[in-house]
Amino acid sequence: MADVQETRHEWRVPRGIVALKAAGAVLCAVLALTGDGLLLFLAGVAALGFAVLAGRDLVAPVRLTAGEDGLVVSGLGGRERISWNDVDRIRVNTNRRYGLTTELLEIDAGEQIHLFSRFDLGEPVVAVAEALMRLRP
């Protein structure tokens, strides 16, 4: 019997983005330690926010995995397997505001919608959407 090799693709948070979030946490922590009153509070909250985001990226760097059997979405809440039968739609949502264009990969799986940016995936979302459409039966 032949050994069947399943094709799996994974998309992860780029290391540079994790480093920027960690640097933001350190910078805000330094500001909080040197400030007083309102600056202490605001910089402390920002440092905590950056630290949580960097920690999430270190704990679950692979955000999306796709194979012939479906998708795996990862985050702080854990991993969730989604069968291709449960995926209703895959599309790229493009928004233009204030001269900036943002693109989000939207995976509609019935009751849930998963959104990913290029900073989550490490690649342009259009390329990821095309790869997912090729993998989808």
Side-chain angles (χ1 to χ4, degrees), residues 8 64-74 79-88 107-110 112-114 116:
R8 295 201 76 69
L64 180 64
T65 305
E68 296 169 359
D69 57 340
L71 304 170
V72 178
V73 177
S74 302
R79 295 174 161 238
E80 181 179 350
R81 293 190 176 279
I82 302 170
S83 167
W84 284 119
N85 293 333
D86 296 333
V87 175
D88 295 331
I107 299 173
D108 185 353
Q112 302 171 349
I113 295 178
H114 300 278
F116 301 96

Side-chain angles (χ1 to χ4, degrees), residues 50-112:
F50 276 122
V52 167
L53 292 174
R56 175 193 66 177
D57 294 346
L58 291 172
V59 170
V62 177
R63 288 287 192 270
L64 180 64
T65 305
E68 296 169 359
D69 57 340
L71 304 170
V72 178
V73 177
S74 302
L76 272 183
R79 295 174 161 238
E80 181 179 350
R81 293 190 176 279
I82 302 170
S83 167
W84 284 119
N85 293 333
D86 296 333
V87 175
D88 295 331
R89 181 175 53 181
I90 297 170
R91 73 181 189 125
V92 175
N93 186 354
T94 303
N95 292 313
R96 290 178 181 81
R97 185 176 288 175
Y98 305 119
L100 297 174
T101 301
T102 58
E103 292 182 330
L104 292 175
L105 174 65
E106 181 181 308
I107 299 173
D108 185 353
E111 296 286 322
Q112 302 171 349

